[in-house]
Amino acid sequence: MVSQEESDKVRYISLVRKAGGEPILGIPYRSMSVDPDLVASFVLAIIIFENRDLKTFTKEGYVVVIEEGEHVVGLLIVDKVEDDEPYRKNLKKIIADFEEKYNDLLNNWKGDIRPFREYALDILSIYPYSDIDLELVPRLLKSSKAAPDQKAKIPWSVGRTDEKIQEILGFINGKRSILEIMESSKYDQNEIEGIFSMLYRYKWISLSKKLESDSKLVKVSDPPRFLIGVYGNQLEHIVELCDGTRSLSDICDELPYGMEVVKTLIKNLIDTGVLRISGTK
């Protein structure tokens, strides 16, 4: 497993076919001041068409780490670092594994790059989109008036990767932590972090701490009218109590309801995007 500091410096990873220069797989991580595809094209022109041995290229504060396999060239663009060896080691591993898994397709090239998209999960298992805290509880995001649907299509959700994502989605119930889901699944920590970083990146889930009596709650938005219609005007008062300083227990003390009733209501408000637990994403 790579360190979070190392992972945070990754900007872009690309695998390109050597024989024709076609991009096979490209994963953007973070925005860049230059177009990564243009940088990749420039580097590939030197390697493939000028037949020059180029291992590192620096452009506007970014370092492009370059490695070649039998069929593909791998490019890993990172923020400027003094030592690129950890990135180079992982890039070599990615290329070797990719070429082994897709040897038949690469040897019998048909021009269709869609079968390779599933391999993004293998890369994200090494360099996830973001740091994933295994103690957090994932909740499926649902469209509501308080939280409009912003879920985006996951471009890597094809083939075996889609099967894994669908299996993990089946474990998410708003109660289990990521760690508990991992222990119930057949996947290791790296793969679990890769999957959840995808789900979070493309806004399929929210991540929060478990709701406990000492959890401090923060208002995100005003409750929509339909919720006020269900719970009454008292709902607005409850939401205003969630100012980031009061715990669930404190809020319960100020209301004429029992802990379980308030806890159920708070969970509904979290699920609809009205509240969040302090310190969560």
Side-chain angles (χ1 to χ4, degrees):
M1 184 184 302
V2 302
S3 69
Q4 189 57 41
E5 182 181 2
E6 179 183 336
S7 189
D8 284 345
K9 292 184 181 297
V10 175
R11 296 281 179 163
Y12 189 81
I13 295 178
S14 178
L15 297 178
V16 180
R17 183 169 169 262
K18 289 173 68 174
E22 303 99 330
I24 292 177
L25 184 63
I27 304 177
Y29 281 75
R30 296 164 183 85
S31 61
M32 297 176 58
S33 60
V34 295
D35 186 336
D37 291 323
L38 291 179
V39 174
S41 297
F42 176 76
V43 172
L44 290 167
I46 295 174
I47 295 173
I48 296 175
F49 301 113
E50 295 186 17
N51 198 28
R52 287 168 53 187
D53 185 22
L54 185 64
K55 291 294 185 182
T56 305
F57 177 77
T58 303
K59 176 70 173 177
E60 295 190 20
Y62 303 113
V63 174
V64 184
V65 181
I66 307 156
E67 283 295 331
E68 294 185 60
E70 181 181 352
H71 297 284
V72 302
V73 176
L75 305 174
L76 178 51
I77 303 178
V78 301
D79 292 335
K80 195 169 184 179
V81 293
E82 292 185 6
D83 180 15
D84 65 17
E85 188 54 35
Y87 300 98
R88 189 173 303 282
K89 179 180 178 181
N90 280 324
L91 184 57
K92 287 180 179 178
K93 177 182 176 182
I94 288 168
I95 292 171
D97 184 56
F98 179 83
E99 292 192 333
E100 180 181 353
K101 286 185 176 180
Y102 300 103
N103 182 63
D104 289 343
L105 287 174
L106 293 169
N107 277 317
N108 300 283
W109 182 253
K110 304 294 185 182
D112 185 4
I113 64 172
R114 288 174 296 179
F116 303 114
R117 281 187 290 171
E118 65 178 14
Y119 190 76
L121 177 56
D122 296 74
I123 295 175
L124 291 168
S125 296
I126 298 173
Y127 292 120
Y129 281 123
S130 58
D131 182 30
I132 298 296
D133 184 344
L134 298 182
E135 297 298 330
L136 295 181
V137 176
R139 289 180 171 82
L140 295 174
L141 290 176
K142 299 177 181 178
S143 177
S144 73
K145 293 180 181 178
D149 188 9
Q150 296 179 337
K151 183 169 67 176
K153 182 179 180 181
I154 300 175
W156 323 124
S157 188
V158 296
R160 61 188 177 86
T161 293
D162 181 64
E163 293 173 4
K164 292 176 181 180
I165 290 174
Q166 296 306 319
E167 183 177 345
I168 292 302
L169 287 173
F171 283 105
I172 298 175
N173 62 2
K175 298 177 182 179
R176 297 187 185 99
S177 68
I178 295 175
L179 179 60
E180 290 169 331
I181 291 173
M182 181 181 76
E183 291 172 344
S184 299
S185 75
K186 58 189 176 185
Y187 306 118
D188 63 25
Q189 182 174 338
N190 291 341
E191 204 159 27
I192 285 291
E193 289 182 355
I195 291 171
F196 275 101
S197 77
M198 271 194 274
L199 293 174
Y200 185 70
R201 166 89 167 212
Y202 291 98
K203 302 185 185 302
W204 284 56
I205 59 170
S206 63
L207 296 172
S208 63
K209 297 177 181 177
K210 281 194 172 183
L211 183 60
E212 307 287 357
S213 60
D214 60 351
S215 299
K216 292 185 177 179
L217 297 151
V218 179
K219 175 183 174 182
V220 176
S221 65
D222 292 327
R225 288 185 178 276
F226 81 91
L227 281 181
I228 296 174
V230 173
Y231 294 106
N233 292 330
Q234 179 74 357
L235 181 66
E236 293 179 289
H237 172 60
I238 294 172
V239 170
E240 292 305 320
L241 290 175
C242 301
D243 58 2
T245 65
R246 293 180 176 90
S247 67
L248 174 60
S249 180
D250 295 333
I251 293 169
C252 192
D253 289 342
E254 298 191 35
L255 298 171
Y257 312 115
M259 172 62 80
E260 289 307 311
V261 173
V262 176
K263 196 171 186 178
T264 299
L265 173 58
I266 293 297
K267 284 181 177 179
N268 288 337
L269 292 172
I270 291 173
D271 289 342
T272 53
V274 175
L275 300 177
R276 66 175 174 83
I277 300 172
S278 179
T280 61
K281 298 182 178 183

